[in-house]
Amino acid sequence: MNRGRWWPGWPRFGAVLGRFWGGLGAVLGSGSPAKRSGARGKRVRRAAPSVPMATGAAAMAAPSVFLLAVSGEIESGQFPGFDDLYCKFCFVYGQDWVPTAGLEEGISQITSKSDVSPTTLVWNFPIDITFKSTNPFGWPQIVLSVYGPDFFGHDVVRGYGAVHVPFTPGRHRRTIAMFVPESTSRLQQFTSWLTGRRPEFTDPKVVAQGEGREVTRVRSQGFVTISFNIMTKDLKKLGYDVTSSDLQSPSLGPGAQGLHKY
């Protein structure tokens, strides 16, 4: 080969060789592997977007219903001249009310008078139910029906009664005045006594309603005492405040002492 002669491929070959040595120098001069991995790690990491967290009252959804828990017992009854009685109960409430737990109705044991309390019939029958509602209209009532044997051994009604479940939380006691329907004539009274078919309501729940009561002839007969334990939840959050001092300690005169008896 002639050394003095110029080869046309030298410029292209020199450019390729320069790029090769430049890339090799960049790799060898970039530092230790730890530094290179750290640099790569810094390039990969990205800050997580901040998501606003709802706290406090905003995090809790406003309640749409309130709860009413009722427990207690049908304690005793006073029915002069009658013995060996038992009691039935049921709850009557409005359309917006729904029972969520417990029993809506029940029947107690038969109880008799004793030498210790010759005028009192003791049942101590428990009641326990929970309601939910969106509206206090149609607040629950408990309806009682007391039955016992007559002279011929037939079970006849000895009293009906009803009372609203107390509004305020806590322990309450109610004494309910009972009554029985009466026949409209002496002949019907004698016939019902002879056959054992005394006048009574087909559905005891009518006692808690006002329709048709003005044409019903009744007679007072006996008393029943009930104790209630009341708990409410979210009632105040929906705008219904039943725990004010005016309701807990009403400033009424001495004549109001008998208002708890219905």
Side-chain angles (χ1 to χ4, degrees), residues 1-8 10:
M1 171 182 269
N2 191 358
R3 294 181 181 179
R5 187 177 180 182
W6 180 79
W7 180 48
W10 280 115

Side-chain angles (χ1 to χ4, degrees), residues 50-89:
S50 60
V51 179
M53 300 294 293
T55 59
M60 301 176 61
S64 59
V65 298
F66 63 85
L67 299 179
L68 172 66
V70 183
S71 62
E73 60 183 5
I74 304 174
E75 294 183 357
S76 60
Q78 296 180 355
F79 292 86
F82 301 109
D83 202 358
D84 300 330
L85 305 182
Y86 62 93
C87 181
K88 294 181 179 180
F89 77 89

Side-chain angles (χ1 to χ4, degrees), residues 35-252:
K35 292 183 179 180
R36 291 197 300 271
S37 68
R40 288 196 298 269
K42 291 182 180 179
R43 289 195 297 269
V44 171
R45 293 191 183 97
R46 293 292 185 271
S50 60
V51 179
M53 300 294 293
T55 59
M60 301 176 61
S64 59
V65 298
F66 63 85
L67 299 179
L68 172 66
V70 183
S71 62
E73 60 183 5
I74 304 174
E75 294 183 357
S76 60
Q78 296 180 355
F79 292 86
F82 301 109
D83 202 358
D84 300 330
L85 305 182
Y86 62 93
C87 181
K88 294 181 179 180
F89 77 89
C90 63
F91 286 92
V92 179
Y93 44 85
Q95 296 180 355
D96 295 330
W97 292 78
V98 178
T100 59
L103 297 177
E104 294 185 54
E105 55 185 16
I107 181 171
S108 73
Q109 75 281 6
I110 298 176
T111 186
S112 303
K113 298 177 181 177
S114 63
D115 297 334
V116 178
S117 56
T119 61
T120 305
L121 297 159
V122 180
W123 288 295
N124 288 334
F125 190 73
I127 54 176
D128 189 4
I129 191 171
T130 302
F131 296 94
K132 71 175 181 179
S133 178
T134 59
N135 191 345
F137 179 77
W139 194 272
Q141 301 180 61
I142 185 171
V143 177
L144 302 180
S145 308
V146 178
Y147 295 86
D150 62 359
F151 180 78
F152 299 101
H154 304 115
D155 275 354
V156 295
V157 63
R158 295 303 186 190
Y160 291 107
V163 67
H164 277 91
V165 172
F167 299 94
T168 57
R171 182 172 177 82
H172 307 268
R173 198 176 186 189
R174 298 288 186 266
T175 301
I176 307 173
M178 309 294 285
F179 61 89
V180 291
E182 272 198 332
S183 302
T184 56
S185 66
R186 296 288 184 179
L187 179 60
Q188 289 181 348
Q189 290 180 4
F190 176 77
T191 304
S192 61
W193 174 83
L194 186 63
T195 60
R197 297 178 178 272
R198 305 293 179 90
E200 61 181 75
F201 297 115
T202 304
D203 185 4
K205 293 182 179 181
V206 301
V207 176
Q209 303 171 0
E211 298 179 0
R213 292 291 301 277
E214 69 277 1
V215 296
T216 305
R217 186 177 181 181
V218 298
R219 171 172 51 88
S220 297
Q221 183 169 280
F223 296 90
V224 172
T225 301
I226 306 180
S227 61
F228 293 98
N229 299 312
I230 305 299
M231 292 185 296
T232 60
K233 183 178 183 295
D234 295 333
L235 193 61
K236 193 171 184 179
K237 291 181 180 179
L238 293 177
Y240 306 109
D241 188 5
V242 296
T243 59
S244 63
S245 58
D246 294 336
L247 291 176
Q248 291 181 353
S249 302
S251 57
L252 299 176

